[in-house]
Amino acid sequence: MNDCERHQELLSSECAGELDSAACERQRVHRLSCSNCLVAFEFASALERLLRAERRSPSAVPPLPPIGLRERTFARLREANPRDAELRNEPCDDLLPALTAWLEGDLEATAHAPLERHLAACVPCTEYVAEARACDRALALAKVPSPPDGLRGRIFAALSSERSDSFSTAAPTRLRRVGLIAAAAALLLSTLLLDRSRSVAPNDANGRGGPVADLRSTPVMQHALDSIARQRNLILRAALDESQPNGVGSITRGAIVPVRGALSTKRSGNAWHRSVQDALLRGTRSEAR
Amino acid sequence: MVGPLESDSMVDIANEVIARARRGDEAACREILATFEKPIFQTVFRLVGGRYPSEIEDLTQEIFLKIFRALDRFEPERGVKFSTWIYTFVKNHCFDALKRKRVPTVPIDGRRHADDEEYSLEPPGHTLEPAVALAGDELSRRVAAAVEKLPPDQRITFVLREYQDLDYQEIAAICGCSEGTVKSRLHRAKEALRHLLRTYVREHAPTLATRTDDSNAAS
């Protein structure tokens, strides 16, 4: 790090009064021999004074930095460092919030005149505004796709089937499938819990029967369980067929348990595992449609 | 205001229609669906489309079902616009979807594998290309990619303001924050987008200046 870079790094701390006396002295000595750093120091000091004035009287509209000071500063720095690509004309940092608010039409009326006077004389800020407006135009010209044909019909069909509670006639949606799976999970959980409680307090003298058996035997629950098993079985069958499992075995005993067991064997490694998962996803997506 | 969709998006619906929809009136439900289908689909596209293009239709459908299920909870007498209420569902559902996508997936057998990081609920070979195909030309692709890079809070604020033409008060109600926060997020979003699109805009400034809004009729 050369002297100019070190000076630049400590500049804001120096202007804020955060440096010790020895460091301040080193900064001052360097400026005696470096006109570029002297200009940078003068600019930073002026900015700090403005900020302090604003903090003292927050209601007052703060005065703007002298017109062209930033530009002159960067011009001098570019002369000193012609190869430094970072030293480009940038908008005045302290005015960026005001410029953005002005572009959005949110700037207070009292701040318009001083900002426009600044813009009339500050090339980087003017270029920034022009570029921002071009960007806004680009954002406005960007296309957004319209809904595909048939989406409205599908939504309405799902809504109609939901309102009429006719699960079997409506095309299954992902939402309904999730609901069915949740219902199955809840049923399974209640089965386990109630089975456990039944072992403690049997329903009859022989310890048989109980509320779960009654629940599962109801037509509504039978229908729900059949529906879940049928849907999951179809998807999983398709997935296993597509993924060409090696010796996975039958999945006719049920929808989930045998496949879970087959996957856990990892007979053909993770590649096969992934292909099953991908196929499951494709099946899920196509079924949801 | 950049909004090319202003004519589509400045919509709301009569309380009488909502009341009929609550009672199960099919025509009223169809009217609500017809009114908000396009704005909601396009908002979902802007919020999640770049990342999960195949899910836009599913999410739109799920949002509408949620809305219709919750119609009884809408209280127009409290001064809330129906569109504001609806966009709250859009925002929450899309954010939930994005959060779900970030959750690491667990294999079906419940065990983690050495290459779990490669597992994802996204379709195999997922890239931005499907969204790009939806978005259309080069400019639209650039904008879609830039909007996608915004943090979610800034993205929803930008989309609702610039593409759906909601005012600060409505956006604040939807996002659950103050109007000042909305303005601040919008400014930061615009700054970020200008920065992201700067190179493209510089290279294509003459073309952009001569393009007309006619070309923006989304297909």
Side-chain angles (χ1 to χ4, degrees):
Chain A
M1 183 183 288
N2 62 33
D3 288 347
C4 288
E5 288 167 344
R6 193 175 299 112
H7 179 272
Q8 185 66 27
E9 189 175 278
L10 297 175
L11 189 54
S12 59
S13 301
E14 184 184 10
C15 291
E18 294 166 354
L19 285 190
D20 59 32
S21 56
C24 283
E25 182 60 18
R26 281 197 299 275
Q27 293 278 94
R28 193 185 67 78
V29 168
H30 172 71
R31 284 194 294 274
L32 291 175
S33 60
C34 179
S35 59
N36 292 323
C37 288
L38 182 61
V39 172
F41 172 74
E42 285 171 353
F43 176 81
S45 301
L47 192 61
E48 182 63 25
R49 282 196 297 277
L50 289 173
L51 291 172
R52 282 180 185 164
E54 185 186 16
R55 281 196 289 269
R56 279 197 297 272
S57 57
S59 58
V61 177
L64 297 172
I67 289 172
L69 177 57
R70 170 67 64 97
E71 201 177 351
R72 288 201 296 278
T73 304
F74 278 108
R76 293 288 295 275
L77 291 173
R78 274 198 303 275
E79 285 171 14
N81 304 283
R83 285 178 298 178
D84 192 344
E86 293 301 313
L87 291 173
R88 297 163 37 208
N89 278 357
E90 294 288 345
C92 303
D93 286 344
D94 45 325
L95 289 183
L96 260 182
L99 282 173
T100 309
W102 186 68
L103 284 163
E104 297 297 320
D106 292 335
L107 191 67
E108 288 179 14
T110 53
H112 278 212
L115 185 68
E116 284 164 7
R117 274 200 302 277
H118 176 82
L119 280 172
C122 180
V123 174
C125 283
T126 309
E127 287 175 353
Y128 173 81
V129 167
E131 205 166 85
R133 286 186 169 144
C135 262
D136 286 352
R137 180 158 178 75
L139 290 169
L141 288 169
K143 294 176 186 174
V144 183
S146 290
D149 293 339
L151 176 61
R152 195 181 303 175
R154 285 195 292 280
I155 294 172
F156 199 79
L159 178 67
S160 302
S161 65
E162 188 175 81
R163 291 202 161 183
S164 63
D165 288 329
S166 54
F167 285 171
S168 57
T169 56
T173 64
R174 189 175 65 169
L175 204 62
R176 174 169 302 132
R177 190 172 52 255
V178 170
L180 288 170
I181 293 169
L187 183 65
L188 182 64
L189 187 63
S190 64
T191 304
L192 291 172
L193 291 173
L194 288 171
D195 274 346
R196 180 171 293 183
S197 67
R198 190 181 57 186
S199 68
V200 176
N203 211 36
D204 59 20
N206 298 321
R208 291 192 298 267
V212 174
D214 295 341
L215 188 63
R216 279 191 290 217
S217 66
T218 61
V220 173
M221 277 302 168
Q222 284 291 341
H223 177 75
L225 288 170
D226 289 348
S227 174
I228 294 164
R230 197 165 48 246
Q231 288 182 30
R232 299 304 300 172
N233 220 358
L234 285 172
I235 297 172
L236 293 165
R237 270 179 187 283
L240 288 169
D241 288 345
E242 192 173 333
S243 62
Q244 297 177 342
N246 295 328
V248 170
S250 167
I251 57 167
T252 54
R253 285 192 296 121
I256 298 171
V257 176
V259 172
R260 183 194 291 159
L263 290 181
S264 68
T265 63
K266 292 174 63 181
R267 290 185 182 182
S268 302
N270 288 331
W272 176 76
H273 188 137
R274 191 180 301 116
S275 71
V276 171
Q277 191 180 33
D278 292 340
L280 279 170
L281 282 168
R282 281 195 293 278
T284 304
R285 288 177 197 288
S286 64
E287 193 207 34
R289 293 177 198 285
Chain B
M1 187 66 50
V2 300
L5 309 172
E6 285 171 15
S7 59
D8 296 322
S9 55
M10 294 175 67
V11 292
D12 212 342
I13 208 148
N15 288 338
E16 174 265 334
V17 176
I18 299 164
R20 282 197 289 121
R22 279 175 175 166
R23 293 194 297 270
D25 183 283
E26 183 178 326
C29 292
R30 282 190 187 278
E31 186 174 340
I32 292 173
L33 191 53
T35 306
F36 288 102
E37 181 197 16
K38 188 171 179 181
I40 288 184
F41 179 86
Q42 292 179 330
T43 304
V44 172
F45 172 84
R46 280 289 184 223
L47 291 179
V48 302
R51 289 167 197 252
Y52 309 108
S54 61
E55 306 250 332
I56 302 169
E57 285 185 51
D58 281 347
L59 289 172
T60 306
Q61 174 171 325
E62 289 163 7
I63 288 166
F64 268 110
L65 292 180
K66 272 190 173 181
I67 287 168
F68 281 116
R69 279 188 209 122
L71 266 184
D72 285 338
R73 298 209 307 268
F74 175 61
E75 298 174 335
E77 59 274 9
R78 293 179 65 180
V80 181
K81 286 173 71 175
F82 190 60
S83 56
T84 306
W85 187 73
I86 273 189
Y87 281 117
T88 308
F89 284 87
V90 178
K91 174 226 164 198
N92 290 339
H93 200 74
C94 290
F95 278 19
D96 285 347
L98 289 171
K99 279 181 195 165
R100 280 200 304 272
K101 296 293 182 183
R102 283 203 295 270
V103 175
T105 57
V106 178
I108 291 174
D109 63 359
R111 296 187 299 180
R112 295 188 68 81
H113 298 290
D115 56 353
D116 265 356
E117 293 307 314
E118 295 177 16
Y119 282 84
S120 166
L121 286 179
E122 293 173 21
H126 166 75
T127 65
L128 272 180
E129 288 310 310
V132 164
L134 279 174
D137 60 14
E138 169 74 9
L139 169 64
S140 305
R141 290 198 291 274
R142 296 274 185 162
V143 170
V147 171
E148 187 192 333
K149 288 194 172 79
L150 294 175
D153 285 339
Q154 290 181 28
R155 201 182 320 157
I156 182 77
T157 306
F158 172 77
V159 169
L160 293 178
R161 175 67 178 165
E162 302 299 334
Y163 291 112
Q164 301 303 328
D165 198 28
L166 302 191
D167 60 32
Y168 292 136
Q169 192 180 4
E170 286 178 281
I171 300 171
I174 292 164
C175 296
C177 61
S178 68
E179 286 185 45
T181 304
V182 170
K183 285 183 186 177
S184 163
R185 284 177 184 170
L186 185 65
H187 290 177
R188 287 204 299 275
K190 295 290 279 290
E191 276 301 309
L193 290 172
R194 284 168 191 151
H195 180 74
L196 289 166
L197 294 170
R198 186 161 63 178
T199 307
Y200 179 82
V201 167
R202 279 179 183 161
E203 289 170 0
H204 297 82
T207 319
L208 289 173
T210 54
R211 273 181 73 164
T212 64
D213 285 347
D214 296 341
S215 61
N216 193 49
S219 57

